[in-house]
Amino acid sequence: MADRFSNRVGGEWVAPASGEYIENRNPARQTDLIGMWPESGREDVARAVESAQRGFEKWRATPAPQRGMVLKDAADLMTERKEDLARAMTREMGKVLEETRGDVQEAIDTGYYAATEGRRLFGHTVPSELRDKWAMSFRRPIGVSGVITPFNFPIAVPSWKIFPALLCGNSVIWKPAEDVPHSANLFVEILLEAGLPGDVIQLVHGRGEVVGAALVEHSGVPVISFTGSTETGSRIGEVAGRMNKRVSLEMGGKNAQIVMPDADMELALEGVLWGGFGTTGQRCTATSRLLLHESVHDEFVDRLVERAGQLRLGDGSAEATDVGPLINQAALEKVQRYMSVARDEGVEVACGGQRASGSGLDDGFFFEPTVLIGVKPGMRVEQEEIFGPVLSVIVFSDLEEAVRVNNDVEYGLSSAIYTSDVRSAFSAISDLDNGITYVNAPTIGAEAHLPFGGVKQTGNGHREGGWEVFEFFSETKVAYLDYSGRLQRAQIDTHS
Ligand code: NAP
């Protein structure tokens, strides 16, 4: 009998009202049952909201530097338990240990960064237009924040939301992705151990279309922070918009790496292997398009195919593994469907293109690292997010064309250019229509202390990370103090 895990609601670890549970299995080995997690419903969400509202009243009164100390202690605990967290994450999510260690480290960095913000949370003091009057702005917490997160960064992405939400004085209700519930329990245990009061954080497991939707639709949750697919995010945005909620949507990507003729080819090759096949291509910032200058195309593709074929697939917990499995059966079927799309579009599969089989692979959702060549702008494999280890190679003749191809998709998260020409580098930084551009580095690799997010269908204008996320999780309030002892009228007495 597998272990049963709990929700965290009302300051206690509790069973779901339904009494029903959902299995969670290892994507590398389906025979490995990790545990059973609550299949919660609307009543669990309603209880969580009541508790979070109580938690908010206490937490908002805690001075921000003290709130920051709780986050610092949480980051310390994550540092101590980094290896255990990484191993639990690899078991339920599949990516290799080196990457899950990085996932935990990103949360640690985010925790320390947020902790220091407790001693800043700057407002502005500006001169008033009237005599003997002060004018200033400051930041206030908003209330109960609903946090909905994807499977691919089970600890890092939640930390981008939960740490700043808490630092700003909000309470949190978290609905993690169904495929990675264990990482969520471990994260919440750490927050509680660090001293976060019990009803300031609530964890409600279950199906997105039930628990996630209930959170978005609840009038007691004024803030929603979501990361996931554009399809789900758009639906959330509609509901949140009708209810005038504050909503941050971080969604899909179709990121390109551009290789100019003057690039360091070895570096560009290492970059695309890491950007395209790291996390089995399941990153919002994964490189899914490779734009090669016509003069380097043939040689680069030969080297790429050779190196992609050498990547070792397997259980991410084995140190020798380069590429783990896809997250689940539906993800595998989606990637397989795109192989048919590619063939129908007349694209050549230069390597990979099928489910991987063999020793240690048959019981998991493994897919061979795939390179598609002869891809033309506008084809579906060039436009749509596949979210697997699939690279579409497109040939271009000058930078202007590469920029046009990069920009002509509905997404706009990250991009990369490899070049030794400073003019090409700066033109690309200025003209590529993305939230992030890397020069001589792959499309993945964001750092916790800089703003993160994208344009067009990737986001709705907010940023996570860095200094900007604190604006999302707090409300600006302005105060005027008039000590003149007489009625002073703005705009009128200044001009009389
Ligand atoms: P997803 O299917 O959209 O799920 C994301 C979260 O939303 C999960 O917790 C899911 O719960 C929940 N959900 C599903 N339906 C919902 C509904 N109707 N109402 C409210 N919540 C709902 O995305 P995913 O497959 O986990 O993640 C992959 C996607 O995330 C990719 O598109 C990737 O590009 C994107 N992503 C973006 C960023 C970024 O910062 N831009 C970062 C990472 C990932 P269940 O798990 O129970 O379905």
Side-chain angles (χ1 to χ4, degrees), residues 148-151 175 178 208 212 226-229 232 251-252 284 385 452:
I148 302 173
T149 51
F151 75 85
K175 149 68 184 109
E178 238 169 272
F226 167 85
T227 297
S229 62
T232 309
M251 304 178 283
C284 51
E385 188 180 45
F452 178 91

Side-chain angles (χ1 to χ4, degrees), residues 148-153 157 160 175-179 206-209 212-213 216 226-230 232 235-236 250-253 283-284 385 387 413 452 458 464:
I148 302 173
T149 51
F151 75 85
N152 60 343
F153 284 88
V157 166
W160 295 356
K175 149 68 184 109
E178 238 169 272
D179 286 304
R207 312 262 179 220
E209 59 275 21
V216 175
F226 167 85
T227 297
S229 62
T230 299
T232 309
R235 223 173 302 143
I236 290 174
E250 294 293 340
M251 304 178 283
R283 286 183 182 233
C284 51
E385 188 180 45
F387 226 55
L413 186 50
F452 178 91
T458 292
E464 313 217 271

Side-chain angles (χ1 to χ4, degrees), residues 49 205 211 306 323 365 391 429:
V49 174
H205 291 289
V211 174
E306 184 192 344
V323 180
F365 306 115
L391 261 176
I429 289 173

Side-chain angles (χ1 to χ4, degrees), residues 63-113:
Q66 284 183 36
R67 298 197 295 252
M69 289 311 290
V70 174
L71 304 187
K72 182 212 163 277
D73 289 349
D76 285 345
L77 286 168
M78 282 185 169
T79 307
E80 271 170 34
R81 294 182 201 163
K82 183 169 168 179
E83 191 60 21
D84 292 347
L85 289 167
R87 286 188 181 275
M89 209 189 308
T90 290
R91 188 177 173 204
E92 69 176 352
M93 191 274 163
K95 63 186 174 186
V96 300
L97 269 180
E98 196 179 27
E99 292 188 44
T100 49
R101 289 179 190 128
D103 195 307
V104 181
Q105 188 58 48
E106 197 164 331
I108 294 168
D109 297 343
T110 302
Y112 287 138
Y113 183 82

Side-chain angles (χ1 to χ4, degrees), residues 227-272:
T227 297
S229 62
T230 299
E231 193 188 348
T232 309
S234 305
R235 223 173 302 143
I236 290 174
E238 272 179 46
V239 178
R242 269 201 305 280
M243 298 179 77
N244 295 322
K245 293 191 178 201
R246 182 178 291 221
V247 59
S248 168
L249 305 171
E250 294 293 340
M251 304 178 283
K254 189 71 186 174
N255 316 293
Q257 173 177 316
I258 299 168
V259 182
M260 298 297 287
D262 50 32
D264 176 333
M265 294 301 155
E266 229 10 78
L267 193 63
L269 183 61
E270 292 302 328
V272 75

